C-alpha cells in the first residue's frame, strides 16, 4: 500500500472479471451470492459465500464469490486463500484464466511483484488463446500497472491503450482512464490527469459503479490537492470516502483518509490532519497492512517535526516616518502555539535631504 499512497495506484486491480468465464450454470444461493457482488453488497456476499464454502468446500464458484467479496473489502490475505482454492479446483482453461487474474491482482496489492507478474502473464496468455476479449483487456490493464510500478511509463501507457481498444462501453473503460490519468499525474501534467479522471468518474456514475466512482473521486481529489484547488479537493474526497464506506472497502477508506490528511495539512489545518492520519493508520492495521500503517504514521511524524522546527522570519517596513526592520525566531509547538525570540529590531528616522 505504500506504493498506492505514493503513486495513487491500484484502481483496476481485478478489472471486472467474474462468473461469466465459468461454464457451469448458477442456481439458488450461488446466483444470489454473485448478485450481491453485482449490487456491491460485499458484506452479505461474504457471509453467504462462507456458508456455501462450509457446505461444499470444493465448490470453486463459492470460493470465487468469497474471494471477490473479501478483496473488495480490503481483506486481501483472506481473499488470496480463496483465489488459490479457485485455482486448485478449476477444471477448464476459462476457469484458470479467471483464477490467474484475481491471483495476479491480489499478489500485486500485497506487494508481491514477482507472483503478480507471473499470474498476470498467465492470465493474458490464456485469454488470448481463448479469444476472450474481456479477460484480455483486464490482463493488459493489470500488466500495465506492474510495468508502471517499475517506472516504465511509456510501456504502461501502451498496455493501457491496448486494453481500451478491447473494451466496448464507457463503464468498462473507466478504470483504465483512471490509470492513464495517474501516468499524466506522475509526469506533472495535472490538467490532463484531471480530464481523464473526470471522464472516469462520470462513466462510473452513469454505469452505476458507485464503488469504482468513489475510488476515482478520491484520486481526483488528490490531483486537485496537488493543484492547490483545496475546495474542489475537499468535495471530491468527501464524496469518495462516502461511497467507499457504503460498500465497506476499508482499504480505500484508509487511502481516502490519507488523502484527506494531506489536504488538511497543506491547507494549514494541522490538528485535523493529524486526526485523519491516525484514522488511516488504524484502518490499515485493522486489515493487516502493518507496513502501510507504519508509513502513514511516518507521514504524521514528518508533519509534526516540520511544524515544530525553528524558523526565522524578517520584515522591513518603509513609511513616512522612517524605516523599521525586525527579525525573530519562531518555534512552533504541537498544540498550535509558538514561542518568539527577537533577533534584531531597529528603526531609522532619516532627516529629509
Amino acid at each position: 500500500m505504500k506504493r498506492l499512497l505514493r503513486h495513487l495506484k491500484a484502481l483496476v486491480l481485478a478489472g471486472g472479471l467474474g462468473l461469466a468465464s465459468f461454464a457451469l450454470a448458477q442456481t439458488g444461493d450461488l446466483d444470489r451470492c454473485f448478485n450481491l457482488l453485482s449490487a456491491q453488497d460485499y458484506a452479505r456476499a461474504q457471509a453467504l459465500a462462507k456458508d456455501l464454502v462450509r457446505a461444499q468446500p470444493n465448490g470453486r464458484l463459492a470460493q470465487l464469490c468469497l474471494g471477490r467479496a473479501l478483496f473488495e473489502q480490503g481483506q486481501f490475505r483472506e481473499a488470496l486463500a480463496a483465489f488459490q482454492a479457485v485455482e486448485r479446483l478449476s477444471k477448464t482453461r476459462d476457469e484458470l484464466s479467471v483464477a490467474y487474474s484475481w491471483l495476479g491482482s491480489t499478489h500485486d496489492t500485497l506487494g508481491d511483484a514477482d507472483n503478480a507478474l507471473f499470474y498476470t502473464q498467465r492470465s493474458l496468455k490464456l485469454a488470448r488463446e481463448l479469444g476472450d476479449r474481456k479477460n484480455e483487456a483486464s490482463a493488459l490493464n493489470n500488466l500495465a500497472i506492474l510495468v508502471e510500478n517499475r517506472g516504465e511509463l511509456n510501456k504502461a501507457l501502451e498496455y493501457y491503450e491496448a486494453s481500451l481498444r478491447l473494451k466496448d462501453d464507457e463503464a468498462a473503460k473507466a478504470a483504465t482512464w483512471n490509470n492513464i490519468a495517474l501516468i499524466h499525474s506522475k509526469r506533472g501534467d495535472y490538467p490532463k490527469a484531471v480530464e481523464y479522471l473526470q471522464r472516469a468518474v462520470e462513466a462510473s456514475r452513469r454505469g452505476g459503479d458507485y464503488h469504482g466512482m468513489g475510488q476515482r473521486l478520491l484520486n481526483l481529489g488528490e490531483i486537485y490537492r496537488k493543484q492547490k484547488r483545496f475546495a474542489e479537493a475537499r468535495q471530491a474526497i468527501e464524496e469518495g470516502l462516502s461511497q467507499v464506506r457504503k460498500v465497506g472497502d476499508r482499504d480505500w477508506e484508509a487511502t481516502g483518509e490519507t488523502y484527506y490528511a494531506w489536504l488538511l495539512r497543506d491547507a494549514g489545518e494541522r490538528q485535523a490532519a493529524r486526526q485523519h492520519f491516525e484514522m488511516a493508520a488504524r484502518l490499515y492495521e485493522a486489515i493487516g497492512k502493518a507496513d502501510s500503517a507504519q508509513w502513514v504514521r511516518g507521514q504524521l511524524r514528518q508533519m509534526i517535526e516540520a511544524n515544530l522546527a525553528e524558523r526565522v522570519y524578517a520584515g522591513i517596513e518603509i513609511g513616512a516616518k522612517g524605516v523599521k526592520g525586525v527579525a525573530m525566531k519562531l518555534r512552533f509547538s504541537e498544540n498550535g502555539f509558538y514561542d518568539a525570540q527577537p533577533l534584531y529590531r531597529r528603526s531609522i528616522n532619516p532627516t529629509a535631504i
Side-chain angles (χ1 to χ4, degrees):
M1 194 53 166
K2 291 188 287 185
R3 181 170 66 252
L4 181 144
L5 293 175
R6 286 201 293 260
H7 303 303
L8 306 176
K9 210 55 231 155
L11 265 189
V12 299
L13 299 180
L17 295 177
L19 190 60
S21 294
F22 280 75
L24 296 180
Q26 321 150 37
T27 56
D29 286 341
L30 275 175
D31 266 333
R32 194 153 62 90
C33 193
F34 284 94
N35 287 337
L36 287 169
L37 287 178
S38 297
Q40 300 181 346
D41 191 345
Y42 303 127
R44 289 175 63 197
Q46 177 184 340
L48 178 56
K50 282 185 174 180
D51 288 341
L52 290 169
V53 169
R54 278 194 291 267
Q56 188 179 5
N58 294 329
R60 53 197 180 281
L61 294 180
Q63 293 283 4
L64 178 63
C65 189
L66 177 60
R68 285 189 55 187
L70 291 165
F71 185 99
E72 298 293 358
Q73 294 176 94
Q75 301 176 50
F76 300 117
R77 296 197 180 280
E78 295 88 345
L80 180 62
F83 294 139
Q84 287 170 337
V86 175
E87 179 190 19
R88 185 175 65 253
L89 297 168
S90 290
K91 296 181 178 179
T92 69
R93 292 196 301 164
D94 294 272
E95 295 173 3
L96 279 173
S97 178
V98 173
Y100 291 158
S101 182
W102 284 101
L103 284 166
S105 296
T106 309
H107 279 298
D108 181 56
T109 305
L110 291 170
D112 186 347
D114 290 340
N115 271 318
L117 181 60
F118 172 76
Y119 281 108
T120 300
Q121 287 177 331
R122 295 186 79 176
S123 175
L124 178 60
K125 181 175 183 294
L126 273 178
R128 284 175 169 166
E129 289 174 357
L130 295 165
D132 189 335
R133 289 169 58 90
K134 181 179 179 181
N135 288 3
E136 182 182 355
S138 295
L140 284 167
N141 210 34
N142 292 343
L143 184 59
I145 292 176
L146 302 177
V147 170
E148 185 181 347
N149 290 341
R150 298 202 302 257
E152 300 177 39
L153 301 188
N154 290 335
K155 190 67 175 177
L157 198 55
E158 289 178 17
Y159 285 135
Y160 286 138
E161 295 292 349
S163 176
L164 283 176
R165 288 193 293 271
L166 293 167
K167 296 180 177 181
D168 300 322
D169 62 87
E170 285 195 345
K173 294 177 180 179
T176 302
W177 283 337
N178 168 86
N179 279 357
I180 291 174
L182 302 186
I183 288 184
H184 288 301
S185 174
K186 286 183 176 182
R187 290 173 168 170
D189 189 349
Y190 299 135
K192 198 73 172 176
V194 167
E195 177 187 333
Y196 273 97
L197 276 167
Q198 287 175 338
R199 189 187 305 177
V201 167
E202 290 311 310
S204 300
R205 196 189 303 272
R206 287 193 295 269
D209 179 11
Y210 297 107
H211 186 190
M213 183 186 74
Q215 296 170 334
R216 286 142 210 166
L217 277 166
L218 290 175
N219 277 346
L220 179 60
E222 170 62 4
I223 301 298
Y224 282 148
R225 178 192 71 85
K226 290 176 178 288
Q227 294 180 297
K228 301 189 184 305
R229 297 163 64 177
F230 294 152
E232 292 163 284
R234 188 184 296 260
Q235 181 179 352
I237 291 173
E238 287 178 351
E239 185 181 356
L241 274 169
S242 173
Q243 294 298 333
V244 298
R245 284 172 179 153
K246 283 179 182 178
V247 299
D249 186 344
R250 290 186 294 173
D251 186 48
W252 267 94
E253 183 181 357
T255 299
E257 289 291 350
T258 306
Y259 290 170
Y260 210 170
W262 285 340
L263 169 63
L264 293 167
R265 177 201 63 193
D266 291 358
E269 302 176 44
R270 293 183 178 85
Q271 280 298 107
R274 177 174 184 164
Q275 295 172 6
H276 286 275
F277 275 132
E278 290 174 343
M279 193 177 303
R282 288 196 295 271
L283 282 165
Y284 281 132
E285 288 168 346
I287 61 175
K289 286 196 163 185
D291 289 347
S292 297
Q294 183 179 359
W295 186 80
V296 169
R297 294 191 190 281
Q299 291 282 294
L300 174 58
R301 284 194 300 273
Q302 288 179 20
M303 184 187 73
I304 293 173
E305 289 167 1
N307 197 36
L308 295 177
E310 292 183 345
R311 301 176 186 175
V312 176
Y313 294 84
I316 297 174
E317 178 184 354
I318 302 175
K321 295 183 179 180
V323 180
K324 298 178 181 178
V326 63
M328 65 179 63
K329 181 186 293 184
L330 297 183
R331 181 176 178 82
F332 293 88
S333 63
E334 193 173 334
N335 60 12
F337 296 98
Y338 60 87
D339 297 319
Q341 176 186 349
L343 300 177
Y344 173 89
R345 187 185 300 274
R346 187 177 179 187
S347 297
I348 301 175
N349 187 10
T351 58
I353 297 176

